[in-house]
Amino acid sequence: MINGIIFDFDGLIFDTETHQYQLLQEMFAEYNSELPLGMWQNEVGTDGSFSPFHYMEQQIGKPVEHELLNKQYKERFLSVLSKEKPRDGVVEYLETAKEMDLRIGLASSSSYRWVSGHLKRLDLYDYFQCIRTSDHVEKVKPDPALYLQAAEHLDLAPETCLVFEDSAHGATAAKRAGMSCVVVPNKITSTMNFGHVEHRLDSMADMPLKDLLDFVATVKVKQ
């Protein structure tokens, strides 16, 4: 029986990832270069050491001004995100979960400052009884620590939690934690291999939460 749901953040609640990749592609194009989608997908949902502008230098064969590019990137990225809304169906899922008295948590490989700031701007912060981020663990996804901590703070056994994810690293973390997982990919993550998960949706708007919970109850998939 599912007693709680735990959401990822970037790309799942709020599609930062599509904008992030599109912006980087625009910046790479300005230097007659390209950032391959497959390479960027390896970084989605985790905290890797990949530096896009170091990769740009390798592609164009000359140094770039990292400080300037990072400043331009952050300014343009935040400007775009200031106009972004939650993905379709997210608010309805949160409302339904609240009505059903399910415990609601969030587990993100991003920082608490990043996640909480955007949740407050989107007026979603108060839905979550627990928020766990990179500030709370030694290892982020695909390590299961974030999800295990979230379940513990929600006072739930892992097997009674349903995770919503958009990335392969996140889905792996959820399954390693012993939880059910439904993936809702965005444009950037849609071609990823998510392994063995309980279900996949193009959008949360495609299936009411109550129907999804009934379905997931019948198909527990092991990692």
Side-chain angles (χ1 to χ4, degrees):
M1 183 175 179
I2 301 299
N3 295 319
I5 58 178
I6 306 176
F7 290 79
D8 174 48
F9 179 66
D10 287 287
L12 188 280
I13 287 178
F14 180 52
D15 193 5
T16 57
E17 290 163 359
T18 298
H19 292 299
Q20 191 173 23
Y21 181 68
Q22 289 175 343
L23 174 55
L24 285 169
Q25 279 290 56
E26 290 172 8
M27 296 183 73
F28 268 66
E30 291 168 8
Y31 285 79
N32 296 313
S33 185
E34 182 180 0
L35 177 61
L37 177 59
M39 181 171 289
W40 186 246
Q41 284 178 332
N42 291 332
E43 305 303 307
V44 174
T46 188
D47 183 19
S49 58
F50 177 72
S51 168
F53 298 127
H54 279 101
Y55 178 76
M56 178 190 286
E57 285 182 329
Q58 296 172 17
Q59 298 306 298
I60 66 177
K62 59 183 180 182
V64 297
E65 296 184 54
H66 289 261
E67 186 175 346
L68 175 62
L69 288 176
N70 278 311
K71 182 175 182 292
Q72 292 175 344
Y73 163 71
K74 289 178 181 178
E75 289 175 351
R76 291 162 70 174
F77 190 34
L78 291 175
S79 175
V80 170
L81 293 187
S82 68
K83 305 176 184 69
E84 186 70 10
K85 297 179 180 179
R87 289 184 64 189
D88 290 345
V90 169
V91 175
E92 288 79 5
Y93 268 38
L94 290 169
E95 277 292 329
T96 300
K98 187 176 178 180
E99 291 167 4
M100 295 176 68
D101 203 26
L102 295 173
R103 295 182 183 272
I104 307 173
L106 186 148
S108 170
S109 293
S110 295
S111 70
Y112 180 82
R113 181 179 179 182
W114 173 264
V115 172
S116 63
H118 285 298
L119 286 176
K120 289 173 183 177
R121 184 184 67 77
L122 297 166
D123 201 24
L124 299 178
Y125 184 86
D126 291 339
Y127 282 104
F128 297 95
Q129 297 157 288
C130 168
I131 296 175
R132 283 295 172 269
T133 67
S134 61
D135 298 307
H136 300 102
V137 294
E138 292 184 7
K139 294 182 179 180
V140 296
K141 306 169 190 177
D143 190 277
L146 280 165
Y147 282 118
L148 291 171
Q149 274 201 24
E152 181 180 358
H153 282 263
L154 292 171
D155 196 25
L156 295 174
E159 61 269 21
T160 67
C161 297
L162 172 62
V163 168
F164 290 96
E165 267 288 353
D166 72 295
S167 76
H169 288 310
T172 298
K175 298 308 295 181
R176 286 177 176 173
M179 301 178 181
S180 297
C181 182
V182 171
V183 294
V184 192
N186 54 61
K187 291 179 182 178
I188 300 305
T189 61
S190 62
T191 58
M192 284 183 168
N193 179 2
F194 293 97
H196 301 292
V197 295
E198 275 65 29
H199 197 47
R200 173 173 176 153
L201 295 171
D202 292 327
S203 167
M204 293 182 196
D206 291 345
M207 189 176 194
L209 178 61
K210 290 180 181 179
D211 292 346
L212 179 62
L213 292 174
D214 289 341
F215 175 78
V216 169
T218 68
V219 289
K220 177 63 179 174
V221 179
K222 295 182 179 180
Q223 169 67 13

